[in-house]
Amino acid sequence: MAINKELYERYKAMKAAKSASESEQQPPKTGFAALNNSPPEQPAQENPPAQNSNLWSTTYSQNSQPVQMTLSQSATGTYNSPSEQTPIHTQAPQESVVPTYKEEQKIKKFALIGYPLGHSLSECIHNAGFKSIGVKATYEIMPTPPEELSDRIKYLRNNGYTGFNVTIPLKLPVTLFLDEVDVSANIVKAINTVTIDPVTNVLKGYNTDVTGFGKAIPQDFPLYNKTATILGTGGAAHAAITYLASKQVKEFKIFTRNIANCIETIDYFRKTFPNIGFNPYQIDRPKDLSDVDILVNATPIGMSGQGVGYIPIEENELRTLPSHALVYDVIYNPKKTNLIKLAQKFNYRTVNGVDMLVYQAMEAEKIWTGKTPDFKDMKIALLENL
């Protein structure tokens, strides 16, 4: 574990003072040993400052001062509080012995929160990933209804967890409890990965779905100046749009159940990516895809337990795609949806949600540990449990 330089210097000075005064047997009044104790519990930010109605335009430091975030930053960039270091609350040590930090020998704790989580495969995927990089860790599935989110965050923060994943319906509400938000998560307007700083207890949110979506696309499939059709306007659609826009797709045709309800989202993306066209359509209208290079299904249509066996577009509409087109279904269960089967029947290139799920989990572990887990090990664990 990397220890803050300022704290380390304080530790060295304290140790020297302790050695000089050892004959007097006087314990230090303040110091590094106080870090053995958890900082005072942070109050849940259930009511953010009224002047910041858009949670996604600011990130909050521990003193609740808003810091503006600009969307022109790199998708992998971050924004921090203007203060160099969040103050560490110290208290008189209960022992005169300075603790030895051997974080690498501890079992790290991670979790998934959301509701419901009865069929989650995250545990087997992450356990395989941790094993592949030699990290001793546990990964717990913690069903968390929205009304229990505040208590769950306090529990994770105060019980030695290094980080956690977030799934529906908590990807937006969890922002109320975060101290910092990664720029890419700010664009997507959803959080799926959180880190907990072991010293400051600061919570930082990320979205790894963007990276996961992008890495699953074949490297030899060009995206620059292409046209993309997105079916759906939920969180998966936001991740797909964010990645494709970063690769300078020239136009999006976005199909939704209710155009009026997604106008705000469309306008947001237009402002964020002013050089790209965003055009909404009613999802049940006939679709001419003859000018589309990549078709993305970001709806649950075809998912096991939610419309399995159905397809989000008609066969005659799918066949209007040009022969070079790529069909991407973010659904991973079943591995081959009817949309993927139909696309393969007509010899289109296809991508299913399995690789996206594994890649986003890999990115989360990289954020948590600084190490890149093995893709194959994680994918095998996923397929064995599907």
Side-chain angles (χ1 to χ4, degrees):
M1 179 184 74
I3 298 176
N4 179 274
K5 182 178 180 181
E6 179 185 350
L7 294 179
Y8 183 63
E9 292 299 327
R10 284 171 52 196
Y11 162 64
K12 289 199 300 182
M14 189 190 71
K15 186 176 180 181
K18 176 180 179 294
S19 178
S21 62
E22 216 167 35
S23 60
E24 300 177 12
Q25 296 295 316
Q26 294 180 352
K29 295 180 180 180
T30 62
F32 200 72
L35 295 181
N36 253 350
N37 302 290
S38 299
E41 182 176 301
Q42 300 294 326
Q45 296 180 357
E46 296 182 357
N47 296 298
Q51 67 269 26
N52 296 297
S53 58
N54 181 3
L55 286 173
W56 295 94
S57 65
T58 59
T59 179
Y60 296 96
S61 64
Q62 286 194 336
N63 60 10
S64 297
Q65 295 298 318
V67 181
Q68 294 299 320
M69 301 181 74
T70 58
L71 298 174
S72 61
Q73 294 290 318
S74 164
T76 59
T78 60
Y79 261 82
N80 297 313
S81 168
S83 61
E84 293 183 2
Q85 176 68 35
T86 303
I88 304 298
H89 300 276
T90 62
Q91 63 185 60
Q94 298 178 359
E95 299 179 345
S96 61
V97 178
V98 178
T100 301
Y101 280 81
K102 295 183 178 180
E103 290 293 330
E104 68 278 1
Q105 295 181 6
K106 293 183 179 179
I107 297 178
K108 298 181 181 295
K109 298 196 294 185
F110 302 93
L112 169 68
I113 65 172
Y115 192 83
L117 298 177
H119 301 289
S120 173
L121 298 172
S122 293
E123 184 176 6
C124 66
I125 299 171
H126 280 291
N127 284 341
F130 291 134
K131 183 178 180 180
S132 73
I133 54 178
V135 172
K136 295 180 180 180
T138 61
Y139 190 93
E140 303 170 61
I141 305 299
M142 297 183 174
T144 306
E147 63 271 17
E148 297 178 8
L149 178 58
S150 177
D151 289 339
R152 181 68 77 194
I153 295 295
K154 290 178 183 178
Y155 175 82
L156 294 167
R157 204 168 197 170
N158 296 328
N159 285 275
Y161 285 80
T162 300
F164 56 95
N165 287 132
V166 185
T167 189
I168 55 174
L170 306 178
K171 289 187 175 185
L172 178 59
V174 75
T175 59
L176 293 171
F177 305 91
L178 302 181
D179 303 292
E180 301 174 23
V181 176
D182 180 72
V183 173
S184 61
N186 186 62
I187 296 175
V188 180
K189 294 189 175 184
I191 299 293
N192 77 338
T193 299
V194 177
T195 59
I196 305 175
D197 189 284
V199 176
T200 65
N201 244 5
V202 164
L203 269 64
K204 183 171 182 179
Y206 301 81
N207 187 294
T208 64
D209 287 333
V210 177
T211 300
F213 176 87
K215 285 190 174 182
I217 297 175
Q219 293 184 359
D220 63 346
F221 187 84
L223 294 171
Y224 174 75
N225 209 34
K226 302 298 183 181
T227 297
T229 287
I230 310 293
L231 306 179
T233 52
H238 286 197
I241 291 170
T242 300
Y243 178 80
L244 294 172
S246 74
K247 297 301 180 181
Q248 300 182 54
V249 166
K250 69 176 180 180
E251 180 185 0
F252 287 94
K253 294 182 176 181
I254 302 173
F255 287 83
T256 179
R257 289 181 297 178
N258 191 319
I259 293 179
N261 289 345
C262 77
I263 288 300
E264 183 178 351
T265 297
I266 298 296
D267 287 343
Y268 168 77
F269 277 116
R270 285 170 176 164
K271 292 175 182 177
T272 306
F273 303 104
N275 297 322
I276 298 175
F278 293 88
N279 302 298
Y281 300 93
Q282 199 71 28
I283 200 167
D284 56 1
R285 61 160 284 179
K287 303 170 187 62
D288 179 5
L289 307 175
S290 58
D291 62 343
V292 171
D293 302 288
I294 178 170
L295 170 69
V296 180
N297 176 38
T299 75
I301 299 174
M303 182 185 299
S304 179
Q306 298 187 38
V308 63
Y310 292 89
I311 57 174
I313 62 174
E314 299 295 330
E315 179 177 334
N316 62 322
E317 296 171 341
L318 182 66
R319 296 195 68 176
T320 64
L321 281 169
S323 59
H324 68 270
L326 175 70
V327 177
Y328 193 139
D329 197 333
V330 302
I331 293 172
Y332 64 85
N333 189 9
K335 297 186 290 290
K336 281 191 178 183
T337 61
N338 275 13
L339 174 62
I340 293 295
K341 291 177 181 178
L342 197 59
Q344 291 177 345
K345 174 183 176 182
F346 299 132
N347 296 316
Y348 294 116
R349 299 184 71 175
T350 61
V351 175
N352 65 16
V354 169
D355 285 359
M356 176 180 175
L357 180 63
V358 175
Y359 278 124
Q360 66 81 24
M362 286 179 62
E363 186 67 15
E365 291 196 8
K366 185 176 179 180
I367 291 170
W368 289 331
T369 69
K371 300 179 181 180
T372 302
D374 188 89
F375 172 81
K376 291 182 180 179
D377 287 354
M378 297 176 80
K379 185 172 182 178
I380 290 172
L382 168 62
L383 295 177
E384 287 178 343
N385 288 272
L386 267 179

